[in-house]
Amino acid sequence: MMKLDTSGLESYTSQFGASSELSGGISTSPSFELPSITDFDGFQKEAIQMVKPAKGTTTLAFIFKEGVMVAADSRASMGGYISSQSVKKIIEINPYMLGTMAGGAADCQFWHRNLGIKCRLHELANKRRISVTGASKLLANILYSYRGMGLSVGTMIAGWDETGPGLYYVDSEGGRLKGSRFSVGSGSPYAYGVLDNGYRYDMSVEEAAELARRAIYHATFRDGASGGVASVYYVGSTGWKKLSGDDVGELHYKYYPVVPSPVEQEMVEE
Amino acid sequence: MTKQQANWSPYDNNGGSCVAIAGADYCVIAADTRMSTGYSILTRDYSKICQLADKCVMASSGFQADVKALQKVLASRHLIYQHQHNKQMSCPAMGQLLSNTLYYKRFFPYYSFNVLGGLDNEGKGCVFTYDAVGSYERVGYSSQGSGSTLIMPFLDNQLKSPSPLLLPAVDAVTPLSESEAVDLVKTVFASCHRERHIHFVVVMLWSGTVDFVNDTCKELTKENSHGDKVEIVIVNADGIHREFMDLRKD
């Protein structure tokens, strides 16, 4: 039988006594408010443990002159175990909008598919495509209504609508930000470093794709929770197109080819 | 004042593992037949595999009560589908249905780790692998359950399935022929079963020759940490074929 780990709900008696200097020596009797449903927190904790997969990741997206560039790795990790190296982290909501996945894989997959359904219903009801602003708002409102219930979603909605290229960051805390450059995930600091260094607004599509690819590669190099295949998508006026999918191991040797040292060359010749 | 600790959990882990491998025109799904709780064996003769549609088979490890409930829900949804559409559900359609069914219980999950195997609409083998709350992807092979961390590296080494994310696209299905798959599976079990995993009795479902399956079972009996039986289901164009192989009973 599995035991629930309710150690988090234990009384804080000893801690209060030890940190008396912090509380200014005030000796109030320690109390810890308990939720009326005694077991719910521990129960939810267990449910969250089961949803752990796909926490580590690197995704990025940026707007430039020609449109939006979206890129992501493909590794899913459960603690220290790599559960998959081929997760699709760029989700095709509809032919002109993409969403990225970071956080809970099931949460992202399900809610992006749900968003795609809502976008299609909007098209049928209003006889025109939904804007990126509208789509990101739909998703943000859904996630806000589930706030505090343990969903884990850190996504970017990228698309091209009547106003041109659009990019929004939406997360499960209920946050929604409009921007022109985002990176989400455990590898995002590394990706930002490369991305911010090489970014120019007036890049060509090939240059932007190469920048995105390199940023993902460098993040996978340094972050243990990112890896697999670096996918790069471009969103233009005619919709999205997948530009490349490269194994990051092979990208490494493409960027840093092995040059045999003179000693090795001598040994080979013999 | 100590808070009252919880002393009951709605979940249990009945152990076991499942494996599925997709081929060009076949699919092999396997699971062991041991059902346990803690260190006790509840039964040696429990099937973890369920046929959901004529070309679609699911194997699930984890908490078997949740697995049974899940199988019933899917079977009833499939029946409704047949009434409404006058045809069987395809494996990819069942894959999406399973994902949604798992996610609808996102806040009280089915403790069930599933692999779905079968043939897609073009007759090619397909395997879908899931987590407990419904995230899924189509792969060339997969394992879930107690022994998955042991089996997966071996399958990675032997099957080397290219990622479906690569561009130009490469097929996720293993390019092995039937006889090659047979030899491979034999080796897989011979080595995987070397692990001392008390929960792990692998049953392989694949479309292979009977000789291969027999040889594999002989290999399995050499292992001292596995026992009971192996249930093997093969899905190919001729239909579904089920076999049982005996293992050591300890």
Side-chain angles (χ1 to χ4, degrees):
Chain A
M1 277 288 264
M2 285 177 349
K3 283 275 189 181
L4 289 176
D5 175 21
T6 51
S7 56
L9 296 169
E10 271 168 271
S11 150
Y12 277 37
T13 324
S14 51
Q15 287 185 28
F16 269 66
S19 62
S20 55
E21 62 263 17
L22 292 168
S23 59
I26 303 163
S27 53
T28 45
S29 61
S31 62
F32 184 54
E33 288 297 330
L34 303 170
S36 46
I37 309 161
T38 39
D39 220 342
F40 188 71
D41 281 347
F43 189 80
Q44 265 297 295
K45 222 195 283 183
E46 195 183 292
I48 289 164
Q49 292 301 318
M50 278 196 261
V51 191
K52 274 286 173 143
K55 267 194 90 174
T57 192
T58 310
T59 59
L60 61 86
F62 58 88
I63 294 179
F64 66 114
K65 185 175 59 132
E66 306 281 348
V68 197
M69 200 57 75
V70 184
D73 75 317
S74 69
R75 178 173 289 185
S77 44
M78 282 206 282
Y81 178 70
I82 296 171
S83 50
S84 175
Q85 287 272 61
S86 56
V87 176
K88 270 195 82 171
K89 293 192 188 176
I90 297 178
I91 298 161
E92 297 145 9
I93 298 167
N94 60 40
Y96 57 97
M97 226 184 319
L98 295 172
T100 59
M101 176 201 291
D107 294 335
C108 291
Q109 274 186 10
F110 184 88
W111 290 112
H112 277 123
R113 188 164 187 266
N114 184 270
L115 179 64
I117 293 166
K118 288 205 162 69
C119 291
R120 179 69 184 134
L121 289 170
H122 176 99
E123 272 180 37
L124 292 168
N126 299 97
K127 273 190 148 179
R128 55 190 260 173
R129 281 181 180 171
I130 192 171
S131 61
V132 181
T133 316
S136 61
K137 192 79 171 181
L138 278 176
L139 182 63
N141 287 152
I142 293 165
L143 295 177
Y144 184 80
S145 67
Y146 285 98
R147 197 172 128 86
M149 296 189 70
L151 291 187
S152 173
V153 173
T155 183
M156 296 177 283
I157 305 294
W160 187 294
D161 58 27
E162 287 166 359
T163 61
L167 179 61
Y168 283 83
Y169 165 77
V170 177
D171 69 23
S172 47
E173 313 301 304
R176 174 173 167 267
L177 299 172
K178 184 175 161 75
S180 57
R181 222 185 309 167
F182 287 114
S183 177
V184 180
S186 55
S188 62
Y190 308 106
Y192 271 130
V194 174
L195 182 59
D196 291 342
N197 183 48
Y199 177 83
R200 284 174 300 113
Y201 180 73
D202 50 358
M203 285 187 285
S204 69
V205 174
E206 290 77 29
E207 286 175 323
E210 183 54 27
L211 177 66
R213 196 176 304 122
R214 266 193 319 115
I216 294 290
Y217 156 73
H218 280 284
T220 61
F221 186 74
R222 285 290 177 181
D223 177 32
S226 301
V229 168
S231 305
V232 180
Y233 281 68
Y234 164 67
V235 190
S237 54
T238 54
W240 59 258
K241 184 174 183 311
K242 180 160 183 179
L243 294 181
S244 68
D246 301 291
D247 184 280
V248 295
E250 283 163 32
L251 277 182
H252 173 81
Y253 292 106
K254 184 166 148 255
Y255 293 136
Y256 302 102
V258 176
V259 178
S261 67
V263 175
E264 284 168 22
Q265 277 176 334
E266 277 173 28
M267 286 164 70
V268 164
E269 277 156 23
E270 270 156 49
Chain B
M1 67 173 183
T2 31
K3 191 181 161 318
Q4 175 127 63
Q5 301 277 342
N7 55 8
W8 174 83
S9 167
Y11 296 112
D12 189 13
N13 188 354
N14 299 121
S17 299
C18 332
V19 171
I21 299 176
D25 59 351
Y26 63 87
C27 189
V28 177
I29 303 128
D32 67 320
T33 62
R34 174 175 286 184
M35 185 166 153
S36 53
T37 174
Y39 287 115
S40 306
I41 298 174
L42 292 168
T43 177
R44 300 180 185 280
D45 200 9
Y46 191 84
S47 172
K48 297 186 179 67
I49 300 167
C50 175
Q51 183 183 351
L52 299 174
D54 66 343
K55 292 281 157 66
C56 187
V57 174
M58 178 174 80
S60 316
S61 68
F63 181 39
Q64 290 302 321
D66 272 355
V67 168
K68 180 68 81 178
L70 181 63
Q71 289 171 353
K72 283 175 158 186
V73 166
L74 293 172
S76 85
R77 287 301 305 273
H78 183 228
L79 190 61
I80 294 167
Y81 182 96
Q82 285 177 63
H83 287 144
Q84 291 175 340
H85 301 273
N86 202 26
K87 64 175 183 176
Q88 295 267 331
M89 268 180 102
S90 66
C91 200
M94 187 59 83
Q96 183 69 65
L97 177 64
L98 175 55
S99 172
N100 287 343
T101 309
L102 291 168
Y103 198 83
Y104 281 139
K105 282 194 29 99
R106 168 67 175 76
F107 298 113
F108 183 7
Y110 288 108
Y111 193 98
S112 163
F113 299 97
N114 313 292
V115 285
L116 196 75
L119 302 179
D120 65 12
N121 292 317
E122 295 157 20
K124 292 203 296 206
C126 65
V127 171
F128 294 93
T129 185
Y130 295 80
D131 71 358
V133 276
S135 97
Y136 78 116
E137 56 167 328
R138 181 169 175 174
V139 287
Y141 58 89
S142 176
S143 73
Q144 291 282 352
S146 317
S148 66
T149 50
L150 305 171
I151 305 174
M152 277 308 271
F154 193 99
L155 293 179
D156 287 335
N157 175 256
Q158 296 296 314
L159 294 173
K160 281 201 202 81
S161 189
S163 173
L165 298 173
L166 292 171
L167 199 68
V170 188
D171 229 345
V173 150
T174 335
L176 291 177
S177 70
E178 269 199 30
S179 54
E180 282 174 336
V182 165
D183 288 338
L184 171 68
V185 170
K186 194 173 176 175
T187 327
V188 164
F189 282 103
S191 49
C192 281
H193 282 66
R194 217 121 290 179
E195 297 303 320
R196 315 236 180 294
H197 202 305
I198 58 167
H199 286 154
F200 176 60
V201 176
V202 176
V203 177
M204 281 271 291
L205 299 173
W206 72 87
S207 56
T209 62
V210 176
D211 285 342
F212 173 64
V213 170
N214 278 326
D215 288 340
T216 306
C217 288
K218 281 201 208 114
E219 287 292 326
L220 290 169
T221 57
K222 290 183 192 157
E223 236 313 295
N224 61 3
S225 65
H226 296 91
D228 303 345
K229 288 195 292 228
V230 171
E231 187 180 5
I232 305 167
V233 169
I234 305 156
V235 184
N236 57 21
D238 303 327
I240 296 192
H241 178 56
R242 186 183 289 254
E243 284 181 39
F244 285 89
M245 291 294 167
D246 267 352
L247 299 174
R248 282 166 59 113
K249 301 266 175 255
D250 61 359

